[in-house]
Amino acid sequence: MKKFTLLLCACAFSSAGILSAQNAGCDGTRYINDVFTTVKKTTVGYAPTIGHINNAYTLQMDVYEPEGDNLAARPAVVLAHGGSFIFGDKSQMQPYCELLARKGYVAVSIQYRLYPFLVLGIPDSLAIFDTAVKAVGDMRAAVRFLREDAATTDQFHIDANNMFIGGYSAGAVTALHSGYIDSTDVLPEFLQDIIQENGGLEGISGTASNKTYASGSKAVVNMSGGLYRKEWVGVNNLPLVSIHGTADETVNYVYGLAAGIAFLEGSSLLHQHAEEVGLWNFLQTVPGGGHTNTYTDPQFETYVDTFWVHATTLLESLTCALTDASEAPYPAENWSVFPNPNTGSSFVLNIAESVQTADLKMIDLSGKTVLEVKNVQNHALVPMQQVPAGTYFVQIQSPAHPEIHFRAQQLVKQ
């Protein structure tokens, strides 16, 4: 898999007008492991808007924060629920918001405009695309709301430089289109018309002051979603982390009519295209997983846990990257662990001679750190007698070279 440096991605994001800087909470544990036990939820209105039948109302969001957190600025993850743009509620994303909040993020589940089928009947493909464009505008308004809060009342202590978006099913479709459609893309005429009718790419939702803030984000978390055209994913776009079941009959793993209504290209095609253009991305394929049971059936639990390890590792890496618009990007440093798979009680760390020493962590699939060793030298033997058999992620960082990004390595202990 091509995983180009996260610093490069962060610098590309900075060029879009939002500067990236290391968050004060970066300690190598927060944002990856569970560091809080309880979570508090606050529900607020975030954007006045107009619905499908010209009804005016204010969209709501549930904001999940780690209880007892004293950090002044935390990265935020804005998530949207599923339901084919017809059904669903923001409460459906509560488990994922709580998962993220326990790791130190501010996690937000948004209400967005759904198609009122009880009034307008069953939607056709154009009506669903119109609803999806409305949802994109609502998600962008939510990101702007959090940035405005950070700049004014600061109720939620958001780090405005570190905003991420994502969702499940229709919510993932919303996040993908919000993250990857921009003014440089070639759009079909019908979609151009729909976007124009909905106030442009930024939409109509939000107050006048809300619309003065940026709606950009730094990565997309995609759970069983799809994009109308994979070509909208380019090398300078946002990093992407995805999970998708191969037996998904609602949003096809490859491509097809989503919910039998509108065409989408699924996560496998998005991953393949991202690989081809060199965009940092990860896809957790779930063999035999469906649209819903991927996240509910115990047989798929390991796949979901692995996905969240990769997702939070990505978000932590972007949050904690030391970057500035004037800095040149550093390439990702190659390194390895040997042997792998491993049947013994230790492994060898191979790093570049120029790095000299590194701090090392082993993390299990639940995100828990099971081993931590400081100042490991090249070719050093790392003991792991107390680590049970299983699949782990090994992470290293060099205190002497904080600007260098090291890809996480998977280690299997048999």
Side-chain angles (χ1 to χ4, degrees):
M1 177 182 300
K2 299 170 185 173
K3 293 187 179 178
F4 286 74
T5 171
L6 294 178
L7 294 179
L8 178 58
C9 298
C11 287
F13 180 77
S14 297
S15 68
I18 299 172
L19 196 62
S20 173
Q22 187 180 52
N23 181 276
C26 296
D27 58 8
T29 298
R30 184 178 174 127
Y31 308 131
I32 299 176
N33 297 339
D34 286 355
V35 293
F36 296 92
T37 56
T38 57
V39 173
K40 65 177 181 178
K41 182 184 81 171
T42 306
T43 301
V44 295
Y46 75 89
T49 195
I50 303 296
H52 290 69
I53 52 177
N54 293 320
N55 52 321
Y57 60 103
T58 297
L59 297 166
Q60 306 285 308
M61 63 168 57
D62 293 335
V63 182
Y64 295 80
E65 302 172 77
E67 189 83 53
D69 186 19
N70 295 319
L71 197 64
R74 292 86 58 90
V77 186
V78 177
L79 299 176
H81 63 82
S84 300
F85 295 106
I86 301 173
F87 310 101
D89 182 82
K90 56 185 169 57
S91 64
Q92 293 174 285
M93 302 308 289
Q94 178 178 349
Y96 309 113
C97 287
E98 291 182 342
L99 177 153
L100 290 164
R102 287 193 297 269
K103 298 179 188 301
Y105 299 90
V106 176
V108 177
S109 180
I110 63 169
Q111 175 193 21
Y112 57 92
R113 287 170 288 176
L114 301 176
Y115 186 83
F117 73 99
L118 293 177
V119 178
L120 300 179
I122 302 300
D124 59 16
S125 60
L126 287 178
I128 284 297
F129 273 111
D130 173 75
T131 305
V133 169
K134 285 179 167 63
V136 167
D138 296 343
M139 175 169 276
R140 291 186 173 188
V143 173
R144 296 196 302 264
F145 172 85
L146 295 174
R147 284 205 169 94
E148 182 175 19
D149 173 78
T152 55
T153 59
D154 200 25
Q155 178 181 359
F156 299 116
H157 305 301
I158 299 293
D159 179 354
N161 290 320
N162 288 295
M163 304 284 291
F164 308 98
I165 57 175
Y168 160 68
S169 186
V173 174
T174 299
L176 287 164
H177 286 81
S178 179
Y180 294 116
I181 290 183
D182 59 40
S183 59
T184 67
D185 292 314
V186 178
L187 306 180
E189 186 175 352
F190 84 90
L191 189 54
Q192 293 181 45
D193 292 341
I194 290 174
I195 291 173
Q196 184 175 358
E197 290 166 2
N198 281 280
L201 290 172
E202 294 298 321
I204 65 169
S205 298
T207 64
S209 61
N210 171 288
K211 293 173 183 177
T212 66
Y213 289 85
S215 64
S217 53
K218 292 180 70 171
V220 178
V221 179
N222 163 38
M223 303 169 67
S224 302
L227 194 61
Y228 183 61
R229 288 292 182 266
K230 65 181 185 298
E231 287 78 15
W232 296 340
V233 177
V235 64
N236 293 321
N237 285 149
L238 308 183
L240 172 64
V241 58
S242 305
I243 180 172
H244 212 132
T246 60
D248 193 326
E249 296 183 350
T250 301
V251 179
N252 195 280
Y253 176 72
V254 183
Y255 65 86
L257 288 180
I261 302 175
F263 179 84
L264 290 175
E265 297 187 328
S267 300
S268 66
L269 285 189
L270 301 186
H271 168 69
Q272 177 183 329
H273 185 70
E275 291 284 281
E276 291 172 355
V277 301
L279 178 70
W280 196 101
N281 78 103
F282 170 80
L283 169 62
Q284 178 60 64
T285 297
V286 183
H291 193 65
T292 301
N293 71 344
T294 285
Y295 307 97
T296 60
D297 194 322
Q299 69 173 309
F300 301 127
E301 185 176 354
T302 298
Y303 295 105
V304 177
D305 288 344
T306 301
F307 162 74
W308 279 112
V309 169
H310 280 277
T312 54
T313 298
L314 168 64
L315 303 188
E316 191 271 350
S317 296
L318 288 169
T319 298
C320 297
L322 288 167
T323 61
D324 182 88
S326 62
E327 292 179 344
Y330 289 83
E333 188 74 31
N334 291 322
W335 66 286
S336 62
V337 292
F338 179 84
N340 189 16
N342 192 303
T343 59
S345 59
S346 62
F347 62 87
V348 175
L349 177 67
N350 293 319
I351 57 177
E353 293 287 351
S354 59
V355 176
Q356 296 181 348
T357 63
D359 296 340
L360 177 146
K361 285 184 179 182
M362 282 185 69
I363 300 171
D364 67 17
L365 294 182
S366 71
K368 179 182 177 183
T369 299
V370 298
L371 177 68
E372 187 169 1
V373 185
K374 301 286 188 181
N375 299 317
V376 183
Q377 295 182 342
N378 186 32
H379 302 317
L381 195 66
V382 180
M384 56 173 182
Q385 295 95 331
Q386 305 303 316
V387 177
T391 300
Y392 300 91
F393 293 93
V394 183
Q395 298 176 333
I396 65 170
Q397 61 180 11
S398 171
H401 300 281
E403 76 281 359
I404 298 178
H405 167 66
F406 298 88
R407 305 180 181 93
Q409 302 283 349
Q410 189 177 80
L411 174 64
V412 177
K413 183 178 181 183
Q414 298 177 339

